[in-house]
Each structure stands twice: as structure tokens, then as C-alpha cells.
Amino acid sequence: QVQLQESGPGLVKPSETLSLTCSVSGGSINSHDWGWIRQPPGKGLEWIVNVFKSGNTDYNLSLQSRLTTSIDTSRNQFFLQLRSVTAADTAIYYCARYEERGFDYWGQGTLVTVSS
Amino acid sequence: QSALTQPASVSGSPGQSIIISCTGSTTDVGAYNYVSWYQQHPGKAPKLMIYDVNKRPSGVSNRFSGSKSGNTASLTISGLQAEDDADYYCSSYTNSLSWVFGGGTKLTVL
């Protein structure tokens, strides 16, 4: 059973960088594709990025200029960095496995609040 | 990329069937058979219910079914049960090599 767990600071100051880690267990990170999705409190889902095992990446065009992703296969982890954050980036951030054109396994989500 | 359009809320009684619509455009829903649906209970992560318009992941009840016509996809839930009370989101692949979600629909089982 694949399990995902997000981790990172719960509070980030405006204009700084949001950094999150997704730790994967129950499967090799090399064998699958992965994604990040966020959800502002009380609002709908927003897709952020897909990271493919091929090394390719698909980005939400509205966020692309502020995004960096990476993978550490030795630790079975993948990462998200979002630069120059504002209050609009306050959300629950989920990592998920992307399989068969759907996100079939999700982490529990981590709330990131952007505030001074 | 604009969000897909879903009704804000739908409701039904136990045993009944309901349909949730998801309207996009010729650049997303109408362009690909890559529509998925997610169920989300309060405080929980979303759960994949349908992918590729009408395919069910292993373990998802056959009471859930999907379809598509033109730029509109639909999720049908038959034999409504109390546990179906949740938020539902559609999602579609787009010609920008990206994914877009709908605004979500609150299903109330009366």
C-alpha cells in the first residue's frame, strides 16, 4: 500500500519561499509519476505540478515562474518550492501519486499559512 | 486556464440517483477523454472515484459512473447512501499540458 506524507513549515512569511517535502513509502518513487495539488481553506482544489519518472515536469502555467521541483530517489522523497509567496498561497498542500491520468494515492495534506 | 464549471450543490434521498455535471471547453473536457472525479469528505484528502471519463479504480463502488458528451462530463451516483454525502470535484487534462479542476459540488444526502 503506497503512503504519502507531506512535511514542511506551517507558517511562511510573505515574499519568502515555501518548501515542502513528500515522503513516499510502500513503493519506489522511481516507478511512478507524482504531483502536488493545493486547496485554500474552504475552497476548491488547484493542480500545481506533475513530476514524471522520465524527468519531465508539467506545471500550472499561472505558478510556473515561481515553482521548483526535485526528487531524491535515495530517500524516496520529492519536493516543492514556491517562491515569493503571498497570502493567496495559503492552502492545504497535498502530494499525490499520478497514475492512469488520475491522482490515486494522496497524502493527508499540510496547511501552509502565509503571514507576517 | 479557467476552472471547470460544476453546480455548487446537489441533493438526493437515500436510494435515489443524482448526476453532477462538469462543463469545460474544447481545450479541456471536449478535447480529451481524460476526465476524472474525486470525492472529498470534510477534513480528508480527496479520493479518486473515476478516471478516463468512465473507469473506476479498484475498490470503488459500481454505484459511481461517469460519462461525457461534448464539453460536459457527468458523474452519476446511483442508490444514494449516507456515506456519499461529500464534496465532489471533476478534473480534466488540457491542451496546455496541464490539469484543471472544477469548483466542486456539495452533495447532500437528505
Side-chain angles (χ1 to χ4, degrees):
Chain A
Q1 178 82 344
V2 174
Q3 293 186 315
L4 299 92
Q5 177 70 58
E6 306 88 351
S7 59
L11 182 64
V12 181
K13 290 182 169 55
S15 79
E16 295 190 345
T17 296
L18 178 163
S19 297
L20 295 174
T21 299
C22 183
S23 301
V24 179
S25 60
S28 171
I29 200 166
N30 276 334
S31 301
H32 299 281
D33 305 322
W34 309 93
W36 291 95
I37 302 99
R38 70 181 182 179
Q39 185 172 34
K43 297 188 178 181
L45 300 169
E46 181 182 28
W47 173 77
I48 301 173
V49 64
N50 278 3
V51 181
F52 298 97
K53 54 182 179 287
S54 63
N56 292 335
T57 310
D58 284 344
Y59 293 102
N60 181 322
L61 295 180
S62 68
L63 299 172
Q64 182 175 8
S65 64
R66 298 194 288 133
L67 284 172
T68 300
T69 60
S70 58
I71 292 180
D72 185 338
T73 55
S74 67
R75 295 186 176 185
N76 234 32
Q77 295 176 325
F78 62 104
F79 310 95
L80 177 76
Q81 287 188 321
L82 181 64
R83 295 177 293 279
S84 304
V85 297
T86 70
D89 296 309
T90 293
I92 298 170
Y93 284 76
Y94 295 99
C95 59
R97 190 179 80 168
Y98 179 67
E99 188 85 0
E100 300 275 17
R101 294 168 293 281
F103 297 100
D104 60 351
Y105 288 96
W106 295 63
Q108 66 186 24
T110 186
L111 175 62
V112 178
T113 301
V114 178
S115 175
S116 55
Chain B
Q1 186 72 43
S2 300
L4 306 175
T5 301
Q6 298 181 234
S9 63
V10 298
S11 62
S13 299
Q16 289 185 333
S17 295
I18 64 95
I19 298 174
I20 299 173
S21 62
C22 170
T23 301
S25 69
T26 55
T27 61
D28 41 61
V29 175
Y32 305 94
N33 287 325
Y34 298 157
V35 176
S36 47
W37 289 90
Y38 298 86
Q39 176 193 65
Q40 186 179 34
H41 288 107
K44 300 295 187 182
K47 175 185 177 182
L48 180 65
M49 306 302 284
I50 295 287
Y51 67 97
D52 287 357
V53 176
N54 56 15
K55 297 178 182 177
R56 278 188 309 275
S58 174
V60 172
S61 170
N62 60 8
R63 296 186 299 104
F64 292 83
S65 61
S67 62
K68 191 188 87 166
S69 177
N71 297 336
T72 299
S74 299
L75 174 70
T76 299
I77 309 175
S78 59
L80 270 180
Q81 300 180 359
E83 68 211 48
D84 301 333
D85 194 299
D87 294 328
Y88 291 84
Y89 294 90
C90 62
S91 183
S92 175
Y93 192 64
T94 83
N95 64 359
S96 302
L97 305 183
S98 63
W99 285 86
V100 62
F101 282 95
T105 298
K106 168 63 179 170
L107 168 62
T108 300
V109 180
L110 302 170

